[in-house]
Amino acid sequence: MESQLQKKLILTIPFNNNQQVLLVSEVLKVDKEFKGSGIQRILSAEQNNLIVSFEGADYKKLRSSINAFLKNIILIVKTIQSFSIV
Amino acid sequence: MVIAIGFEGSANKLGIGIVKDGEILSNCRRTYITPPGEGFLPRETAEHHQQNIHEVLKEALDQSGIKPQDIDVVCYTKGPGMGAPLAVCAIVARTCALLWNKPILGVNHCIGHIEMGRLITKANNPTVLYVSGGNTQIIAYSRQRYRIFGETIDIAVGNCLDRFARVLKLSNAPSPGYNIEQMAKKGKKYLHLPYCVKGMDVSLSGILSYMEDRIEELLKDYTPEDLCYSLQETVFAMLVEITERAMAHCASDEVLIVGGVGCNERLQEMMGVMCQERNAKIFATDERFCIDNGVMIAHAGALAYAAGTRMEFKDATITQRYRTDDVLVTWRDD
């Protein structure tokens, strides 16, 4: 029974400005969360913050989704840092 | 005149290249090499790409002398291939497209190989043998599609060779196939192996299982060199047969070999013998281009872009399965 209860994690990731938040969320929105995972991911932008919520019943799948998500954030941030047109 | 950058990472090679109107300005690559006896798995391969992609991107831009502002289209491998590694390149490509305010275009990996082969060799309208670790297809062009005439019904020939290299615990550097090729050159005793052509197609998993199951016994009578030699002779003869069959159907007098296994000189030699018998010409590229690379993605993308193909940003996804004949070849009207 307890394993059916939905757990929710909300991450707030600050960026330098709103354009960066929108860019990051546009890149990430292209991929939908893996259907079989049972994890729902919702992205939203609030001024300079990217707000991501993960909701699901399975702890392991929740952890993998969040892990993969953060790896992608690192990838995008490094790309912005190194390859922005100044 | 289109300047395109291409990101490739569908397997263990990470490649980024820049092309301008068919002229190669840079072609940078890193390969994820596993210890002997081990293959590469999606998660570690994706991590390898993540760790190296920014360095390779910088290298590609620096070597080409091109500034991001000058690029017309950002191309990436949409598929086919391994999911997690493909996603790494797609995400960086998308980010670059937005940072530089450029259109994005997903490219079919197989078509990348074909168009690179045509560019380098100037083959006119060849029957294409596409052979790599992930793919084994016979392809011929007809009415705006690269049609698959024959293929493996189970594993790719490169996969068969690579997995046999694992059984022998050969080094994976620079690639297992290369080391099998060198061993095969020293083989003397031929072992008769199952030969598996099914009409226009081939089957390779049975030959691999046959060798895997009997390896202890076989090594009593044959050296590893003999086994590498016998395996190559068998699978390459199968490939030559299905290539010839397709050529006969299409009345073709040109063969183009692309894909990592296309580097193999014995395969090129055997294909050459068949071609000579049919008065056909054989074309092949060197390891810069037959092994997965970024510039082939850039070039195929540039051709499509110049012909008017466009992709909406929301469709810049990746897919593990992507058939060669699913792509409308807008850049050819023959």
Side-chain angles (χ1 to χ4, degrees):
Chain A
M1 280 301 270
E2 194 253 43
S3 61
Q4 303 308 315
L5 298 173
Q6 295 286 90
K7 295 86 177 165
K8 189 168 178 175
L9 186 128
I10 300 177
L11 279 170
T12 305
I13 307 178
F15 287 89
N16 289 330
N17 52 57
N18 185 254
Q19 285 110 293
Q20 279 190 355
V21 180
L22 294 176
L23 188 151
V24 173
S25 79
E26 229 197 300
V27 170
L28 293 167
K29 273 193 177 130
V30 177
D31 300 310
K32 280 151 209 98
E33 198 65 16
F34 188 50
K35 252 184 264 173
S37 68
I39 305 293
Q40 203 194 28
R41 182 196 75 186
I42 302 174
L43 285 167
S44 61
E46 264 174 39
Q47 291 181 310
N48 291 0
N49 295 319
L50 180 68
I51 320 283
V52 205
S53 78
F54 295 86
E55 196 170 329
D58 187 317
Y59 286 111
K60 275 192 197 165
K61 292 196 176 143
L62 206 52
R63 192 191 66 174
S64 324
S65 285
I66 297 165
N67 229 30
F69 178 82
L70 288 174
K71 283 192 180 163
N72 289 339
I73 291 278
I74 294 171
L75 207 52
I76 300 171
V77 166
K78 266 179 95 176
T79 310
I80 296 174
Q81 282 169 344
S82 306
F83 300 99
S84 288
I85 299 180
V86 189
Chain B
M1 194 192 69
V2 176
I3 300 178
I5 186 169
F7 292 77
E8 155 59 32
S10 57
N12 65 332
K13 276 76 73 185
L14 170 69
I16 301 178
I18 299 176
V19 71
K20 176 181 177 179
D21 238 14
E23 190 195 331
I24 294 156
L25 301 180
S26 62
N27 191 19
C28 305
R29 181 169 64 210
R30 298 277 188 283
T31 307
Y32 171 50
I33 298 179
T34 43
E38 290 177 36
F40 55 90
L41 293 167
R43 191 193 321 187
E44 291 74 23
T45 309
E47 284 196 15
H48 166 270
H49 292 357
Q50 279 162 12
Q51 278 156 20
N52 289 280
I53 192 164
H54 298 98
E55 190 180 301
V56 180
L57 176 53
K58 181 171 191 305
E59 209 175 276
L61 286 166
D62 289 347
Q63 275 182 23
S64 68
I66 293 283
K67 294 192 295 294
Q69 294 90 315
D70 305 324
I71 291 174
D72 294 307
V73 59
V74 176
C75 311
Y76 72 99
T77 307
K78 185 178 179 68
M82 299 168 85
L86 280 169
V88 173
C89 287
I91 287 179
V92 174
R94 284 181 219 147
T95 308
C96 288
L98 292 181
L99 283 174
W100 306 338
N101 195 22
K102 303 290 174 186
I104 192 159
L105 198 55
V107 174
N108 178 298
H109 180 91
C110 317
I111 301 228
H113 276 292
I114 296 172
E115 289 302 343
M116 200 65 205
R118 287 182 66 225
L119 175 72
I120 298 291
T121 65
K122 313 251 182 296
N124 181 31
N125 192 18
T127 301
V128 180
L129 173 63
Y130 170 34
V131 274
S132 69
N135 294 280
T136 293
Q137 296 174 4
I138 301 276
I139 295 155
Y141 172 81
S142 170
R143 294 199 235 171
Q144 299 204 310
R145 299 266 170 185
Y146 283 110
R147 318 251 170 204
I148 300 172
F149 269 68
E151 58 187 323
T152 174
I153 61 175
D154 38 62
I155 61 175
V157 64
N159 192 228
C160 179
L161 294 167
D162 291 354
R163 283 161 68 180
F164 186 60
R166 271 182 245 167
V167 169
L168 294 178
K169 296 260 194 311
L170 298 183
S171 166
N172 289 319
S175 72
Y178 177 82
N179 293 324
I180 292 203
E181 185 178 354
Q182 303 318 306
M183 297 273 283
K185 287 178 185 171
K186 298 181 233 161
K188 293 184 181 52
K189 200 162 128 187
Y190 177 71
L191 164 69
H192 189 88
L193 290 168
Y195 183 91
C196 223
V197 169
K198 310 267 188 197
M200 306 290 292
D201 299 323
V202 290
S203 168
L204 291 150
S205 62
I207 302 173
L208 178 65
S209 319
Y210 182 91
M211 300 194 80
E212 282 176 337
D213 292 346
R214 284 168 190 67
I215 190 68
E216 308 287 327
E217 284 301 304
L218 290 173
L219 286 172
K220 291 181 189 159
D221 299 310
Y222 299 86
T223 64
E225 288 80 357
D226 296 332
L227 295 178
C228 290
Y229 160 65
S230 307
L231 180 60
Q232 278 198 172
E233 295 298 299
T234 308
V235 300
F236 291 167
M238 287 161 52
L239 295 175
V240 171
E241 182 182 333
I242 60 169
T243 308
E244 186 169 14
R245 190 158 288 125
M247 287 168 78
H249 278 285
C250 302
S252 165
D253 61 0
E254 286 178 322
V255 172
L256 170 64
I257 312 182
V258 298
V261 182
C263 295
N264 190 302
E265 284 167 1
R266 181 58 186 144
L267 174 60
Q268 291 178 18
E269 190 183 19
M270 288 170 76
M271 195 69 71
V273 169
M274 179 273 283
C275 284
Q276 204 169 34
E277 288 169 359
R278 300 182 64 87
N279 282 327
K281 284 180 74 173
I282 176 173
F283 297 90
T285 60
D286 63 58
E287 55 84 36
R288 284 172 300 164
F289 307 111
C290 44
I291 299 182
D292 291 348
N293 61 85
V295 79
M296 74 186 188
I297 301 299
H299 176 60
L303 289 172
Y305 187 77
T309 303
R310 297 289 183 269
M311 176 180 269
E312 284 188 49
F313 196 82
K314 65 174 174 59
D315 296 325
T317 52
I318 54 115
T319 175
Q320 292 187 243
R321 296 191 197 288
Y322 191 4
R323 295 291 280 172
T324 314
D325 47 17
D326 261 353
V327 177
L328 185 64
V329 182
T330 53
W331 56 96
R332 287 180 72 164
D333 54 14
D334 50 340

